[in-house]
Amino acid sequence: MKIAIFIDAQGAIAPLTAPGTVTLYHPQPDGWQVCRTLVFDLSAVTSLAEIRERTLSMLAQLPGCRHFVAHEIHGAQLAWLDGMGLTMWQFRGTPEQALAAIVRQQPIPEEPVVVLPEAFIRPGTEEGEFYVDLIAALRCGGDHTSKRLLLPLLQREAFRRLELRCDHVPKWFSRLEGYQFAVSDENAARGELQVIVSKTAC
């Protein structure tokens, strides 16, 4: 079991709106051990879309993490974390205090919990429209493939349009019938493509 704690430069638990470091802890026989650290800073970010992208990208780098600790977690971030199956804890003080409190209040399972890829799928503005961050979904771990994630969306009776963030166009797209595709490589230098999939007009 792994627990992520957001810490400021002084080593105290920090709010997610401040600059800090996400520190991932893993239990060992002699106590908690740090197994990963990630710099995370949203203090200068004002776009909700960018906040979401950075938050999900950060979480994708924390495989096996089920608990997330910060001094404050509000609004959209709270909803995103909750939607990914994580338990949020709001604490003041030191990481050691938070870890001890979580162990007292929450049984720690032996099996790691993988972030659900469905957390990277969100509906569009109209019925049958979807946005999928395939890059983040495949990074979150587990036995997931693009076909397993996307085909159920495309086969929905109400499906109209899919906007896909990916690093390459899935090869199996070439075998799909009844759909049209538009590919934008505007962000190819960052390893990202935008693919729009829509049903071919009858």
Side-chain angles (χ1 to χ4, degrees):
M1 180 59 199
K2 298 175 183 177
I3 300 175
I5 303 181
F6 191 56
I7 303 170
D8 63 19
Q10 288 70 47
I13 300 172
L16 278 178
T17 52
T21 302
V22 178
T23 304
L24 191 62
Y25 291 87
H26 182 69
Q28 297 293 323
D30 57 347
W32 291 91
Q33 184 177 62
V34 174
C35 57
R36 178 168 294 184
T37 58
L38 303 169
V39 175
F40 189 66
D41 184 2
L42 297 177
S43 58
V45 180
T46 57
S47 164
L48 188 62
E50 186 174 356
I51 292 174
R52 181 182 188 279
E53 181 177 351
R54 291 194 185 189
T55 300
L56 295 184
S57 176
M58 175 267 290
L59 293 174
Q61 299 178 67
L62 303 175
C65 177
R66 190 180 184 184
H67 298 266
F68 195 98
V69 180
H71 174 37
E72 293 177 353
I73 310 173
H74 293 300
Q77 282 183 299
L78 185 63
W80 297 329
L81 289 161
D82 184 63
M84 296 173 72
L86 276 75
T87 299
M88 281 75 67
W89 302 82
Q90 298 190 66
F91 280 104
R92 294 176 181 268
T94 67
E96 291 75 19
Q97 292 170 329
L99 291 168
I102 292 173
V103 170
R104 287 196 302 269
Q105 298 180 46
Q106 181 78 18
I108 304 298
E110 295 298 326
E111 293 294 325
V113 177
V114 177
V115 175
L116 295 176
E118 289 83 358
F120 302 97
I121 301 172
R122 70 173 189 264
T125 55
E126 302 289 339
E127 183 181 3
E129 295 183 348
F130 304 93
Y131 171 84
V132 179
D133 187 340
L134 188 60
I135 295 176
L138 295 179
R139 283 177 181 168
C140 77
D143 185 22
H144 310 303
T145 66
S146 62
K147 193 169 186 178
R148 183 173 296 177
L149 294 171
L150 300 177
L151 202 54
L153 297 178
L154 300 178
Q155 292 177 336
R156 291 189 183 186
E157 185 176 350
F159 174 80
R160 295 178 55 190
R161 183 178 184 274
L162 169 68
E163 180 181 342
L164 181 67
R165 175 179 176 258
C166 55
D167 56 14
H168 68 279
V169 179
K171 293 181 179 179
W172 57 273
F173 274 20
S174 62
R175 300 190 297 274
L176 283 174
E177 296 182 359
Y179 299 89
Q180 56 188 5
F181 309 93
V183 181
S184 169
D185 61 357
E186 181 179 351
N187 296 318
R190 296 190 339 212
E192 298 178 16
L193 299 176
Q194 181 193 51
V195 180
I196 305 295
V197 184
S198 57
K199 277 194 172 179
T200 304
C202 298

